[in-house]
Amino acid sequence: MIYIHIPFCKQKCSYCNFHFSTSLNFKDEMISAMKTEIRLRKNELDNKSLKSLYFGGGTPSILSADEISSMIDEVLKYFSFDPDIEVTLEANPDDLDKNFLKQLSKSPVNRLSIGTQSFFNEDLKLMNRAHNASEAEGSIKRAQDFGFENLSIDLIYGSPTSNLEIWKENLNKTIALEVPHISSYALTVEPKTTLESWISTGKVASPKEEEQNEEFYYLSDFLKDNGFEHYEVSNFAKPGFYSKHNSAYWKYKEYLGIGPSAHSYNGFDVRSWNVANNQQYIKKLYTGILAKEEEILSQNDQFNEMIMIGLRTIWGVDMGSLNDKFSAQVHEHFQNEIRSKIEEGILVIENNHLKIPEKHWFMADGIASDLFIV
């Protein structure tokens, strides 16, 4: 699978610390550089039949439909598409006007991941989103009108401008709109963000973990009651609408990341990442040099990643795979660390897979980190 990072946004959201630029001055040069990177790295994926192509960012929908199609055409010079390929475009609601959707519907893009975040203007203003509540709802309806049935939306809970009743209304709206996939995250305060500054100066109240905990479990129960499957801590889908792309990440499949700051993984022991600087990225690729670094993952690194990722999903961690892949010393550490947590009911073993019961999923990352080899 291939991930393409589009490093441009109209404006900076208050909570975001991803790599992007609000200037489009070098958009053409960036697209050209990414096409060069695709060509230079075409042999890094063993499987040339793609099951997923994902445009993330940043804001990929800031590109024109023709620019997106040209990137897809470049990929198709070196790869083929699986008959059931999922081609996802992350999009902001304010970009999804009729003209853009009409053009996009003629392209290979068959899945939209819409950055809705909330259907309430107070939430959206706090987040400094470029869209309003009306556009949040209208964009979903327009996408459906143009044949995009495979839709995902992002929703953020635990905002200081929200509460449980508002959160319930957000979820009711989502169900009414018949969206088949939802990615939902607690509002987190990342370093060097506007939100962190607002909180440190007392302009905005800090998110409350107990409220986020309550809203998370309401989210899970409500969506399951409405036919969704809770297949990863932050992801819910109707049957048949799991994200193929993210599911491949969580199952340790190889992937190729294109664009500044994008990461790649060979499915075993090598992870690489591109420079998180647009100008450096363009300049190096202009001369045919890949602007990336890589690391060889140690046995401990690989073990920790399998634990962290696996315990966030309904699939859990395959204990047979752990036995086959890691040394007796690692296996001994694993058995020692899980024993007490199994006795406490924080971990369970089902069909030789180690899992966190869903009632403890809100604390999944902390539970997993307790098992790490440090």
Side-chain angles (χ1 to χ4, degrees), residues 32 72 190 224 248 255 260 288 302 307 339 342:
S32 178
I72 295 172
E190 301 292 348
K224 285 188 294 182
Y255 57 88
Q302 293 174 55
I307 294 296
R339 190 173 295 115
I342 290 175

Side-chain angles (χ1 to χ4, degrees), residues 173-192:
K173 175 72 72 175
T174 301
I175 296 300
L177 289 167
E178 299 183 339
V179 175
H181 188 282
I182 297 163
S183 297
S184 190
Y185 309 94
L187 182 68
T188 55
V189 185
E190 301 292 348
K192 299 180 181 179

Side-chain angles (χ1 to χ4, degrees), residues 39-276:
R39 174 176 58 81
L40 292 175
R41 302 183 69 186
K42 63 183 184 293
N43 294 323
E44 290 188 30
L45 288 182
D46 292 332
N47 189 349
K48 294 296 188 290
S49 177
L50 298 179
K51 296 184 182 298
S52 171
L53 175 61
Y54 193 105
F55 288 86
T59 309
S61 58
I62 207 167
L63 301 183
S64 70
D66 285 343
E67 288 168 334
I68 294 163
S69 292
S70 77
M71 295 283 286
I72 295 172
D73 289 342
E74 189 68 24
V75 170
L76 285 170
K77 289 181 181 179
Y78 315 107
F79 299 89
S80 62
F81 281 175
D82 183 89
D84 295 321
I85 188 169
E86 178 185 271
V87 183
T88 302
L89 181 80
E90 289 185 355
N92 276 355
D94 47 298
D95 292 327
L96 297 178
D97 59 34
K98 289 183 178 180
N99 183 55
F100 180 75
L101 285 165
K102 181 179 179 180
Q103 292 179 290
L104 197 66
S105 68
K106 300 173 183 177
S107 78
V109 173
N110 56 18
R111 182 175 185 268
L112 295 178
S113 177
I114 304 175
T116 306
Q117 314 308 359
S118 175
F119 294 102
F120 285 84
N121 282 325
E122 281 194 19
D123 291 342
L124 297 172
K125 287 176 182 176
L126 173 76
M127 299 173 198
N128 198 37
R129 298 293 293 170
H131 66 280
N132 59 37
S134 176
E135 289 171 319
E137 181 176 352
S139 65
I140 295 168
K141 292 178 177 177
R142 281 193 299 274
Q144 292 166 330
D145 288 343
F146 280 95
F148 289 98
E149 296 180 359
N150 194 353
L151 293 180
S152 177
I153 68 169
D154 290 346
L155 291 175
I156 292 179
Y157 58 90
S159 165
T161 51
S162 186
N163 56 42
L164 183 58
E165 292 308 309
I166 290 174
W167 182 230
K168 289 179 179 180
E169 290 187 49
N170 265 315
L171 295 175
N172 285 328
K173 175 72 72 175
T174 301
I175 296 300
L177 289 167
E178 299 183 339
V179 175
H181 188 282
I182 297 163
S183 297
S184 190
Y185 309 94
L187 182 68
T188 55
V189 185
E190 301 292 348
K192 299 180 181 179
T193 60
T194 302
L195 181 61
E196 183 193 45
S197 174
W198 286 345
I199 290 172
S200 66
T201 58
K203 182 178 179 181
V204 171
S206 181
K208 294 180 174 60
E209 184 174 310
E210 63 272 16
E211 292 179 2
Q212 293 185 336
N213 186 312
E214 181 181 18
E215 291 175 7
F216 171 79
Y217 286 111
Y218 180 84
L219 161 76
S220 178
D221 291 342
F222 178 82
L223 291 182
K224 285 188 294 182
D225 288 345
N226 282 277
F228 285 78
E229 296 170 359
H230 193 178
Y231 72 108
E232 192 268 348
V233 169
S234 300
N235 286 270
F236 306 79
K238 290 288 185 72
F241 286 94
Y242 285 22
S243 167
K244 292 182 181 180
H245 194 84
N246 289 337
S247 295
Y249 284 151
W250 301 325
K251 294 179 180 180
Y252 326 113
K253 304 295 186 183
E254 66 172 352
Y255 57 88
L256 179 62
I258 302 295
S261 81
H263 283 60
S264 302
Y265 176 56
N266 73 345
F268 177 54
D269 64 348
V270 179
R271 189 176 305 285
S272 64
W273 57 93
N274 291 339
V275 62

